[in-house]
Amino acid sequence: MFEGELTDRVAIVSGASRGIGQAIAVAMAKAGAKIVLSASKIENLKETESQIKALENAECILTQADVSIGDEVNQVVKIALDTYGKVDILVNNAGTTKDNLLALMSEKDWDTVLSTNLKSVFLFCKACIRPMVRQRSGAIINISSVSGISGNPGQSNYAASKAGIIAATKSMAKELASRKIRANCIAPGFIETAMTKKLPGNVIEAVMKQVALGRFGQPKEIADTAVFLASDAASYITGQTIVVDGGLVI
């Protein structure tokens, strides 16, 4: 469906070492984009690189950054521009969790989650906006969560960061529309990743009772949504949050 949709475009994908980020990077490469992979450690990107290089005519480069540090984020974008001369697509996927009840949550765990999940979106978007404005085109896709819409017990830090992403995306969509730059969110529900596989059976059973479609989502289903939002097929969509949750928060 999406083969060739992103031909000759350059995409930066943060948090690309596994799960949803890895699936998005591979799907965009399959759709023809050149991929700039980012993770906290280069070696963590080797599996994603292997999957991309197995595709015909696919291309990627590996970068390393602490996404909460501006200079390191700026270096990722500089490498992308030095290598390919432009940035067409930015996918902010990097994220972490430090779950606890609010009364027991440490200040450090609050700050870590907000810096990794929300500040990183600010830093990457700010770094990419200037080249996108120059070329008068661009697609920004920020990965939020249904937790940022409905909240979740034990995740006040995570929910706050993901709700902040939604609000920031709406603001940047309004700021950047005149420059032909679109900004949208994807809010995944429960997606089958290494993290969800660790959930106890009773938790999984309780979750399935809430999901209308009765199953976990697959990373590819988030990736296909990201490819759509990055493509010309979504040229009239900006400032939106696309919920991909199997009917969890209907």
Side-chain angles (χ1 to χ4, degrees):
M1 177 181 179
F2 296 119
E3 188 173 348
E5 287 281 349
L6 305 179
T7 298
D8 294 329
R9 297 184 194 182
V10 177
I12 295 175
V13 182
S14 73
S17 62
R18 60 182 179 174
I20 290 172
Q22 183 178 83
I24 290 173
V26 173
M28 287 192 171
K30 192 172 184 179
K34 299 176 176 67
I35 312 298
V36 180
L37 303 170
S38 174
S40 58
K41 295 180 180 179
I42 288 282
E43 55 265 31
N44 293 346
L45 292 167
K46 293 300 183 181
E47 172 59 27
T48 308
E49 178 188 34
S50 176
Q51 290 188 33
I52 290 174
K53 289 191 172 179
L55 301 171
E56 187 176 356
N57 299 320
E59 189 174 338
C60 68
I61 57 173
L62 280 55
T63 65
Q64 177 176 309
D66 179 333
V67 294
S68 67
I69 298 175
D71 286 346
E72 296 193 20
V73 169
N74 291 340
Q75 183 63 19
V76 172
V77 178
K78 182 179 185 301
I79 290 169
L81 293 172
D82 288 348
T83 305
Y84 297 120
K86 62 175 183 171
V87 175
D88 300 296
I89 302 159
L90 170 63
V91 181
N92 282 302
N93 172 73
T96 191
T97 56
K98 297 284 183 182
D99 295 352
N100 212 336
L101 296 175
L102 183 61
L104 302 175
M105 186 175 292
S106 69
E107 184 177 348
K108 181 180 179 182
D109 283 352
W110 176 275
D111 288 344
T112 296
V113 171
L114 268 290
S115 292
T116 303
N117 297 4
L118 182 56
K119 184 182 178 184
S120 63
V121 171
F122 159 69
L123 293 174
F124 263 111
C125 288
K126 184 176 181 181
C128 287
I129 281 171
R130 185 164 292 177
M132 286 182 173
V133 166
R134 281 199 302 266
Q135 66 199 35
R136 294 190 65 79
S137 67
I140 296 169
I141 301 161
N142 297 322
I143 306 301
S144 179
S145 167
V146 292
S147 292
I149 297 171
S150 61
N152 204 30
Q155 287 194 319
S156 58
N157 51 1
Y158 183 77
S161 71
K162 294 301 186 176
I165 289 172
I166 292 171
T169 301
K170 289 177 183 293
S171 293
M172 68 178 71
K174 290 183 176 182
E175 288 184 21
L176 300 172
S178 65
R179 308 292 186 176
K180 311 302 182 187
I181 300 167
R182 297 181 296 106
N184 292 289
C185 281
I186 300 173
F190 283 90
I191 306 301
E192 191 173 299
T193 63
M195 185 183 299
T196 56
K197 286 178 181 177
K198 294 178 183 178
L199 293 173
N202 63 318
V203 174
I204 293 175
E205 185 178 344
V207 168
M208 289 304 97
K209 290 179 180 178
Q210 299 177 59
V211 178
L213 291 181
R215 65 173 177 85
F216 282 107
Q218 297 298 313
K220 183 181 183 300
E221 292 172 304
I222 307 300
D224 286 346
T225 306
V227 172
F228 165 70
L229 287 174
S231 75
D232 291 341
S235 60
Y236 200 54
I237 300 174
T238 195
Q240 302 304 306
T241 299
I242 310 299
V243 179
V244 187
D245 69 347
L248 176 63
V249 294
I250 292 174

